[in-house]
Amino acid sequence: MSAHPPIKSGFLDRDQSILAFNERVLDWARRPDVPLLERLRYLAIVSSNLDEFFEVRFAPHLAAFQTNEQRGAVNAQTFREVASKVHDLVAQQYAIYNDELLPALQKRGIQVVAHSERNAAQRRWVKEYFTQEVQPLLLPIGLDPSHPFPQVANKSLNFIVRLAGRDAFGRENEVAIVKVPRALPRYARIPGQRHSKTMYFASISSIIRSHLNDLFPGRTVTEFSQFRVTRHSDLALDEEEVKNLRTAMRLGLQQRHYGQALRLEVSAGCSDFLSDFLLQQFNLPPETLFRVPGPVNLVRLNQLIDRIEAPALRFQPYQPGWPVQLTPGQSFFERLKKGDVLIHQPYESFDAVLAFLREAVEDPDVLAIKQTIYRTGSKGEMVELLREAVRRGKEVTAVVELKARFDEEANINQAERLESVGAQVVYGIVGLKTHAKMLLVTRREEGRIVRYAHVSTGNYNPGTARLYTDVSYLTADEALTSDLEQVFLHLASQNRLPKLNKVLVAPFHLHKGLLERIDATVAAAKAGEEARIILKMNALTDEPLARALANASQQGVQVDAIVRGACILPAGVPGFTERVHIRSIIGRFLEHSRVFYFRMGSQEELWLSSADWMNRNMLRRIELAWPVTDAALRHRLMDECIHQYLQDARDAWLLQPDGAYVKAAAQSGRGRNALHSAQAALMGRHGSKG
């Protein structure tokens, strides 16, 4: 059971819920049925998530603590609660790393060898590696009035050293800083003995720490520690004031690495003298100091995982099948004339979406292509196709979201690549992120204009499309494609949206439309009719929507929600949410699809969306939700995105009235569904048989 987030004003604390989600992810690092290197990767995922938590969510807590003021929902107490929870999570991480994963790796012939464990031959090799590959890139900085404490970049690896003796000028400046360049590999492979199958690795931190004395000739290193500082990294721009958003974003990105310090990680054995010195330099309280028994950055374990040649210690490769509704080689335009198409990623291949765009680019009858770009990945296959469309004389419009968190630089580069060939690039609406995922193709057919579209719950990123569950929707429906045309016109011209046929758009209609549908289920329940709401999303943190669901529960509506991450709505609280059941699925793939089902007597509606039920998605983003009206497609979505997950006992966690999560397997007993995994079932159903 994971510890529960505190309940405040009837709702769960959002930040504590985020941390509880990471506890559930961390459980995959413990699971003996998960391949060993994948367990190590889940450990790294939690570290990456915690990094982002500090970079984005922690600054208000720290500010409230330092000023002893109430700042919205945060104060000194929430700071202490969050810091305590993170300390507990980090302690669990390193216990798993040191006590479970490292010994298990060693049994499988993979050793991360500390300096004290290396034999003479290994020490000679490490010494040579340090001298040739590492030392030339290191620049120790002895601190004194003319050498102040250096700027330390966000999440970079550094060493702090205390020295005895005097420098070249006879002074006793005793503290020095050594920055470790990001260009240095974090793990080096040490050659093994002939005929040995054991793989030996040395971390860059252990290589440097064992040769620190070489960096300070004539002096003695008396104390040292690796350290890493995490900084506030959420870019804040006054978009009303800037003349060119792209230029302002580039300047902001340069400053991001040196934002306010929020967390300090040091080695477990770091002396109080050195840790106090660092806390003072970064103006941090002791609660933000993390002493860790191992590498200060477990995210970098990904480099080690990628270097280990051991297929048996990884998930078996999964090859997605071609979408069941499509025939390879068939024209998308001809297929869509017959009806809409669903692609359930990653079980079905995202390559079909690329194929749709490629056909549009190559078709001489296609006149225009419009697409939103939120996260496309570094390779940018879709951007290259859009560039080719421009070269072929088509009108190409790209709505590029420059503020996609941590993808800003990649998106700026993609925007410039599109502009360089003559595509029309716009950056959406000032003050709003364009999070909607839509692609609209305009084609001339027999003297008239026909539109085809792709809309999705996820990003146009071929890489994450193999790792995230999402639903792609291809359509030639005139009402739906006409709506999308109006949304694109709105994003480019900033004119008012006209009344739309089918689509709900945030921040204009979506929030209100969802509340209206919840109210409709309440009306059905009061009339003695069947009333049910089933939701699947990444996060449920919008208070008005959570309150509406609680009220619906009190009025007799059955509410089931599959919420992967943060959820402020408690489940099963007598008199409040007793008809609410909430589960979280943590699996091999990241659950990312958003599906909303409403049953009101004999009526039912099923919607797909780019939006989670969060305040920012409803009020500060351009988001889409669209109805699935085809009965067969609705039935398939209910099966694959709802019922499979409601039956999951292997990867599901159930939210309890007190805010704690318990494994569904602990409550399912030994019945037929005790080992059911929705993801495993869907992989078996759709995976390529070739």
Side-chain angles (χ1 to χ4, degrees):
M1 180 186 293
S2 66
H4 57 82
I7 296 178
K8 297 176 180 176
S9 305
F11 295 115
L12 303 172
D13 180 78
R14 177 179 173 181
D15 286 335
Q16 289 282 354
S17 186
I18 292 172
L19 296 175
F21 160 68
N22 280 290
E23 273 196 305
R24 302 194 294 278
V25 177
L26 187 59
D27 185 69
W28 272 69
R30 292 190 178 94
R31 283 176 53 164
D33 60 320
V34 176
L36 189 53
L37 291 181
E38 306 295 349
R39 293 172 64 186
L40 201 60
R41 200 180 295 279
Y42 278 98
L43 199 70
I45 289 170
V46 173
S47 285
S48 177
N49 291 348
L50 290 179
D51 285 351
E52 184 172 342
F53 179 84
F54 277 96
E55 291 172 300
V56 175
R57 300 286 310 170
F58 193 67
H61 292 282
L62 179 58
F65 174 77
Q66 291 178 323
T67 59
N68 198 26
E69 296 175 355
Q70 183 83 29
R71 300 194 173 201
V74 302
N75 52 39
Q77 182 59 26
T78 67
F79 165 81
R80 294 188 185 93
E81 290 170 353
V82 167
S84 173
K85 184 61 185 174
V86 179
H87 275 284
D88 178 57
L89 254 174
V90 170
Q92 292 182 56
Q93 277 187 285
Y94 283 91
I96 294 169
Y97 176 70
N98 289 311
D99 301 340
E100 297 183 40
L101 299 183
L102 284 184
L105 286 168
Q106 188 166 346
K107 287 181 180 178
R108 300 303 294 263
I110 301 162
Q111 286 189 248
V112 180
V113 191
H115 176 70
S116 60
E117 299 168 340
R118 293 173 198 145
N119 60 35
Q122 289 171 336
R123 291 190 178 194
R124 284 194 300 271
W125 185 91
V126 168
K127 172 70 173 176
E128 184 177 353
Y129 179 83
F130 174 81
T131 303
Q132 294 184 358
E133 303 291 335
V134 179
Q135 190 169 4
L137 298 180
L138 301 181
L139 184 65
I141 300 172
L143 304 186
D144 70 5
S146 64
H147 296 80
F149 194 91
Q151 280 277 44
V152 173
N154 180 39
K155 300 187 294 187
S156 62
L157 176 62
N158 307 272
F159 277 83
I160 183 169
V161 177
R162 191 175 188 183
L163 301 166
R166 298 176 183 271
D167 66 14
F169 304 97
R171 294 174 297 203
E172 293 182 341
N173 51 319
E174 60 177 344
V175 177
I177 302 295
V178 182
K179 295 183 178 182
V180 182
R182 286 197 161 104
L184 285 171
R186 267 24 188 184
Y187 289 89
R189 174 85 180 264
I190 303 174
Q193 297 177 346
R194 187 176 296 179
H195 306 307
S196 172
K197 293 183 179 180
T198 302
M199 289 179 272
Y200 298 97
F201 294 91
S203 69
I204 188 66
S205 56
S206 77
I207 291 171
I208 293 173
R209 65 178 286 188
S210 57
H211 295 92
L212 280 173
N213 279 309
D214 296 355
L215 300 176
F216 302 96
R219 305 193 71 180
T220 301
V221 174
T222 60
E223 297 175 13
F224 66 88
S225 176
Q226 56 180 323
F227 75 91
R228 177 178 182 257
V229 65
T230 312
R231 299 180 179 274
H232 184 63
S233 299
D234 210 17
L235 292 182
L237 297 174
D238 186 347
E239 295 178 45
E240 301 285 356
E241 295 295 321
V242 301
K243 296 287 194 297
N244 185 309
L245 182 59
R246 189 174 70 197
T247 302
M249 289 294 294
R250 277 214 182 276
L251 292 173
L253 286 170
Q254 294 171 10
Q255 300 163 6
R256 163 183 277 174
H257 297 304
Y258 302 100
Q260 177 195 3
L262 299 169
R263 171 182 61 167
L264 175 64
E265 296 165 282
V266 299
S267 302
C270 179
S271 70
D272 290 342
F273 173 85
L274 293 180
S275 63
D276 289 348
F277 180 88
L278 289 170
L279 287 172
Q280 184 178 13
Q281 289 296 325
F282 294 120
N283 189 30
L284 287 172
E287 290 87 346
T288 63
L289 175 68
F290 289 77
R291 296 177 176 274
V292 299
V296 293
N297 187 355
L298 292 176
V299 179
R300 295 292 194 158
L301 287 171
N302 282 312
Q303 288 191 15
L304 174 65
I305 296 165
D306 292 342
R307 296 200 63 182
I308 295 174
E309 301 157 11
L313 302 185
R314 305 178 190 276
F315 287 131
Q316 285 189 353
Y318 176 70
Q319 186 63 38
W322 191 252
V324 293
Q325 289 184 265
L326 296 173
T327 303
Q330 180 186 24
S331 165
F332 283 86
F333 303 131
E334 294 305 313
R335 172 61 185 83
L336 292 176
K337 286 182 174 68
K338 301 174 183 176
D340 298 347
V341 170
L342 278 178
I343 302 172
H344 194 179
Q345 300 155 201
Y347 311 110
E348 297 178 296
S349 178
F350 180 79
D351 289 348
V353 179
L354 291 170
F356 170 65
L357 178 57
R358 189 174 296 110
E359 181 177 351
V361 170
E362 295 173 354
D363 189 316
D365 293 327
V366 168
L367 306 176
I369 300 173
K370 300 180 179 73
Q371 185 177 352
T372 58
I373 293 175
Y374 191 74
R375 302 188 197 277
T376 62
S378 56
K379 293 183 179 179
E381 292 104 315
M382 301 200 86
V383 170
E384 284 306 307
L385 285 170
L386 293 177
R387 282 165 53 90
E388 179 60 24
V390 176
R391 296 187 193 103
R392 292 180 182 234
K394 304 181 194 306
E395 291 297 317
V396 173
T397 302
V399 182
V400 181
E401 181 46 72
L402 296 184
K403 303 182 298 298
R405 186 182 292 147
F406 303 125
D407 272 5
E408 297 96 342
E409 187 169 1
N411 285 6
I412 289 171
N413 293 337
Q414 304 289 25
E416 291 174 345
R417 288 177 60 74
L418 287 166
E419 284 184 327
S420 70
V421 295
Q424 177 65 57
V425 177
V426 295
Y427 304 127
I429 306 298
V430 170
L432 302 174
K433 281 188 181 182
T434 302
H435 193 249
K437 317 304 191 307
M438 51 187 181
L439 167 61
L440 187 66
V441 174
T442 304
R443 191 171 188 253
R444 182 185 285 115
E445 297 178 3
E446 299 177 355
R448 69 187 188 98
I449 296 298
V450 179
R451 299 184 185 92
Y452 300 85
H454 169 269
V455 280
S456 179
T457 66
N459 299 306
Y460 289 114
N461 184 327
T464 57
R466 298 182 68 89
L467 303 172
Y468 292 11
T469 72
D470 273 305
V471 179
S472 279
Y473 195 83
L474 291 163
T475 184
D477 179 278
E478 288 188 24
L480 183 50
T481 57
S482 175
D483 284 354
L484 297 178
E485 177 71 33
Q486 293 300 326
V487 175
F488 274 113
L489 286 173
H490 167 72
L491 291 172
S493 69
Q494 303 183 52
N495 291 335
R496 286 183 178 273
L497 271 173
K499 182 175 175 60
L500 300 177
N501 303 299
K502 286 189 169 184
V503 171
L504 294 175
V505 180
F508 308 107
H509 324 113
L510 182 55
H511 200 226
K512 180 182 177 184
L514 293 171
L515 289 169
E516 288 174 348
R517 280 155 182 81
I518 296 172
D519 288 344
T521 65
V522 171
K526 288 181 175 179
E529 298 178 307
E530 183 180 357
R532 194 169 187 198
I533 298 171
I534 311 177
L535 310 167
K536 184 176 186 295
M537 63 189 76
N538 305 325
L540 199 174
T541 60
D542 180 76
E543 283 203 19
L545 287 169
R547 194 172 294 111
L549 291 174
N551 176 65
S553 163
Q554 294 161 28
Q555 302 301 323
V557 180
Q558 177 66 43
V559 179
D560 287 278
I562 304 157
V563 184
R564 183 195 79 215
C567 180
I568 65 168
L569 181 66
V573 177
F576 183 46
T577 59
E578 53 194 305
R579 291 183 182 85
V580 174
H581 301 281
I582 294 174
R583 56 175 42 216
S584 170
I585 307 289
I586 308 296
R588 170 173 174 173
F589 302 127
L590 183 82
E591 289 299 328
H592 198 253
S593 50
R594 291 98 168 185
V595 184
F596 314 145
Y597 173 81
F598 304 93
R599 180 83 186 198
M600 300 145 292
S602 60
Q603 287 184 286
E604 61 177 352
E605 293 184 13
L606 189 144
W607 293 75
L608 298 173
S609 182
S610 59
D612 289 310
W613 285 25
M614 304 173 72
N615 181 267
R616 71 184 189 200
N617 296 76
M618 297 296 153
L619 304 179
R620 301 196 301 278
R621 289 187 173 190
I622 303 294
E623 301 273 18
L624 290 183
W626 63 97
V628 178
T629 54
D630 180 283
L633 296 185
R634 200 163 58 222
H635 177 79
R636 182 183 167 198
L637 284 166
M638 288 299 293
D639 174 36
E640 295 192 2
C641 295
I642 300 294
H643 295 315
Q644 288 286 341
Y645 287 90
L646 291 179
Q647 295 167 10
D648 191 302
R650 197 179 79 183
D651 301 330
W653 295 73
L654 307 180
L655 182 57
Q656 304 299 296
D658 65 354
Y661 284 83
V662 300
K663 289 183 178 181
Q667 296 192 355
S668 63
R670 299 178 177 272
R672 181 170 56 87
N673 292 328
L675 297 178
H676 178 72
S677 161
Q679 292 190 0
L682 292 168
M683 287 169 69
R685 178 182 299 183
H686 290 295
S688 174
K689 306 301 188 289

